[in-house]
Amino acid sequence: MGSLGDTIAEAVLETYDSLSAKYKPVKPTEDFFQWVPLSGIVVVKGTSSTGMKCLPLDQLAQADGSVLHDWHAEVVALRAFNHYLLHECLELATSPSSVSPIIRRREAHEISERHGLQPFSIHDDLQLHMYSSEAPCGDASMELLMEAQVDATPWPVAQLHPDTRKLPCLLRGRESFAELGIVRRKPARADSPQTLSKSCSDKLALKQCISLLSSCTSLLVNPGNAYLESLIIPKSQYVEHACDRSFGPNGRMKSVAGRQWPGGYAYRPFKIRTTDREFTYSRRSKPASSKELRTSNIAAVRNPNLHEALIVGRLQGRQKLDPKAASAICSKRMWKMTLQVLAALGIPRLLQTVSESLNAQSWKESTLFADRHRVKADVRSEALKGWVRNEGDEFM
């Protein structure tokens, strides 16, 4: 039997292999080979995704909660996982006799101000693992980036979008790549449109403190059992000191090591495991017969209740302004799904807050998220310094 890392990698790879061709890059030709990162979360049932793009800063105002701001594979996998949790919450809320393989109703004695007021929890005997076919972009992969350069000259630091010139400068890609242990923004390429989406290394580092739950699911599911146990990456992508620096208690997260917060939150660093398995569409799988390596623009989303293919953060085949182009994992649809669960539960305090909220932004600013906001503020001010919020989408 293989290692745990190999077993989890196989679960995600086999799930991806089962998808039809519409969710995958085109087949290799003599002219080019398309590659794409793959990430998946494995529980009793897994969620998997591919993708590697972000929504430019100057397009956020048109997003209106219906377009994904960031569709890197790790981020899409997290959204797919949270969509699955919301689906299970809705099943339990509307059918009290139903049983979920991943969540349960919390007992009355478990619910308190100190330990969280959420009605649901992930089963105590489950562990969450994430597989990624590439090292997370940002700090955990800087050494790999440097090693891959033909010309090791760092890119000059580019100016941010005019609307953000007064904000602290976030580096990206090869901008001063000798600077390690810092927050970086996507994308890595210097010729790409500007964004304020933080790197996957930074987002996963924060998830070690706020759990894998999104804002919506954190209102319904207690974070206590919602932390990653391990992150699995190919051996070719593993640089031990880079991962320790990016995620570990002796690296940039040292200031919050051992920290616990009200509401069931804590700094819970995940283990890094490696696998010998390589993804069929990784950049390292390019056949010698293909002349050029190209990136795929397809982001595939799959969980036990969802199959989607996305292009530029919207459903494949839909027009840009088509309301039906919104993915099931976009902010607006996830928020609406949360409202369905709350209505079915009929909890007075939650319903009152929701009824007084005009949109997801005003809702998330309520005191219901005070514990989560405190964790974010502490981590961003102490460990992930320089974090600038990605604002502009009025819905959020």
Side-chain angles (χ1 to χ4, degrees):
M1 180 174 289
S3 68
L4 178 60
D6 286 340
T7 301
I8 291 170
E10 283 292 348
V12 178
L13 294 171
E14 288 176 6
T15 299
Y16 183 82
D17 288 342
S18 70
L19 299 178
S20 65
K22 68 172 287 188
Y23 299 99
K24 300 176 181 179
V26 299
K27 292 183 178 180
T29 68
E30 290 184 2
D31 293 325
F32 65 88
F33 172 81
Q34 281 193 340
W35 75 281
V36 68
L38 171 68
S39 289
I41 295 175
V42 177
V43 204
V44 172
K45 295 182 180 179
T47 66
S48 60
S49 66
T50 60
M52 57 182 305
K53 302 290 184 181
C54 298
L55 191 68
L57 187 63
D58 58 6
Q59 295 182 26
L60 284 182
Q62 290 80 47
D64 192 33
S66 298
V67 182
L68 304 191
H69 297 179
D70 180 347
W71 51 98
H72 276 219
E74 295 92 333
V75 175
V76 175
L78 290 172
R79 283 184 167 273
F81 174 67
N82 277 275
H83 178 275
Y84 176 48
L85 291 179
L86 286 177
H87 179 276
E88 295 301 292
C89 288
L90 186 59
E91 286 289 310
L92 292 185
T94 55
S95 179
S97 61
S98 63
V99 177
S100 168
I102 188 168
I103 63 170
R104 62 174 177 82
R105 287 184 176 272
R106 296 176 76 197
E107 301 291 339
H109 67 85
E110 297 178 280
I111 300 174
S112 68
E113 292 286 347
R114 176 66 186 174
H115 299 291
L117 301 174
Q118 299 90 345
F120 302 110
S121 174
I122 292 175
H123 288 304
D124 297 340
D125 57 350
L126 295 182
Q127 291 185 344
L128 309 179
H129 302 268
M130 173 180 273
Y131 162 80
S132 286
S133 63
E134 307 287 331
C137 66
D139 194 53
S141 58
M142 294 309 295
E143 281 82 353
L144 292 170
L145 177 65
M146 287 185 265
E147 182 182 329
Q149 301 306 315
V150 176
D151 176 8
T153 304
W155 295 337
V157 178
Q159 288 291 324
L160 278 174
H161 186 277
D163 292 342
T164 64
R165 285 175 181 166
K166 295 181 180 179
L167 295 174
C169 182
L170 288 176
L171 299 178
R172 67 174 180 176
R174 289 179 61 199
E175 292 176 352
S176 301
F177 57 58
E179 297 292 329
L180 302 175
I182 62 173
V183 173
R184 290 179 175 270
R185 59 192 170 94
K186 301 168 181 171
R189 285 174 48 187
D191 59 348
S192 300
Q194 300 279 353
T195 82
L196 281 178
S197 288
K198 266 58 67 183
S199 74
C200 290
S201 291
D202 300 321
K203 291 185 175 182
L204 290 175
L206 179 61
K207 289 295 184 183
Q208 293 181 122
C209 299
I210 63 170
S211 82
L212 299 189
L213 303 178
S214 66
S215 292
C216 288
T217 46
S218 71
L219 196 62
L220 300 166
V221 180
N222 186 266
N225 294 333
Y227 287 84
L228 268 187
E229 175 68 20
S230 69
L231 171 66
I232 294 90
I233 56 176
K235 287 181 179 178
S236 63
Q237 295 292 287
Y238 178 54
V239 179
E240 184 176 7
H241 62 271
C243 290
D244 289 345
R245 178 187 66 238
S246 187
F247 306 119
N250 296 314
R252 61 178 179 169
M253 303 300 287
K254 185 175 182 179
S255 61
V256 295
R259 187 81 63 87
Q260 295 184 357
W261 292 269
Y265 293 100
Y267 169 60
R268 291 175 54 180
F270 47 71
K271 302 179 183 70
I272 304 291
R273 291 188 168 94
T274 60
T275 177
D276 291 317
R277 310 296 193 268
E278 286 282 2
F279 178 40
T280 305
Y281 293 100
S282 81
R283 66 178 108 194
R284 295 169 300 284
S285 298
K286 174 182 171 293
S289 58
S290 294
K291 299 176 183 178
E292 185 183 350
L293 188 65
R294 298 181 185 177
T295 57
S296 172
N297 65 348
I298 294 178
V301 186
R302 184 193 183 282
N303 69 29
N305 308 297
L306 180 67
H307 290 73
E308 288 185 343
L310 309 180
I311 302 288
V312 198
R314 303 174 179 87
L315 290 178
Q316 183 182 36
R318 294 286 182 178
Q319 295 297 317
K320 183 176 181 180
L321 299 179
D322 184 352
K324 294 182 180 179
S327 166
I329 63 172
C330 75
S331 296
K332 180 174 284 187
R333 290 187 62 183
M334 297 272 274
W335 182 56
K336 289 182 177 179
M337 195 172 182
T338 306
L339 300 187
Q340 288 182 275
V341 179
L342 293 176
L345 289 172
I347 301 176
R349 181 188 177 191
L350 299 182
L351 286 174
Q352 180 180 356
T353 301
V354 171
S355 64
E356 293 173 352
S357 301
L358 299 176
N359 55 28
Q361 178 60 41
S362 59
W363 181 37
K364 290 200 294 185
E365 289 174 353
S366 74
T367 56
L368 291 174
F369 297 96
D371 290 339
R372 183 180 172 89
H373 289 166
R374 178 181 172 184
V375 179
K376 283 187 173 183
D378 286 351
V379 176
R380 290 171 180 174
S381 64
E382 298 176 32
L384 302 176
K385 296 178 181 179
W387 187 294
V388 180
R389 290 189 63 184
N390 193 17
E391 297 178 327
D393 185 340
E394 293 185 0
F395 179 79
M396 297 308 294

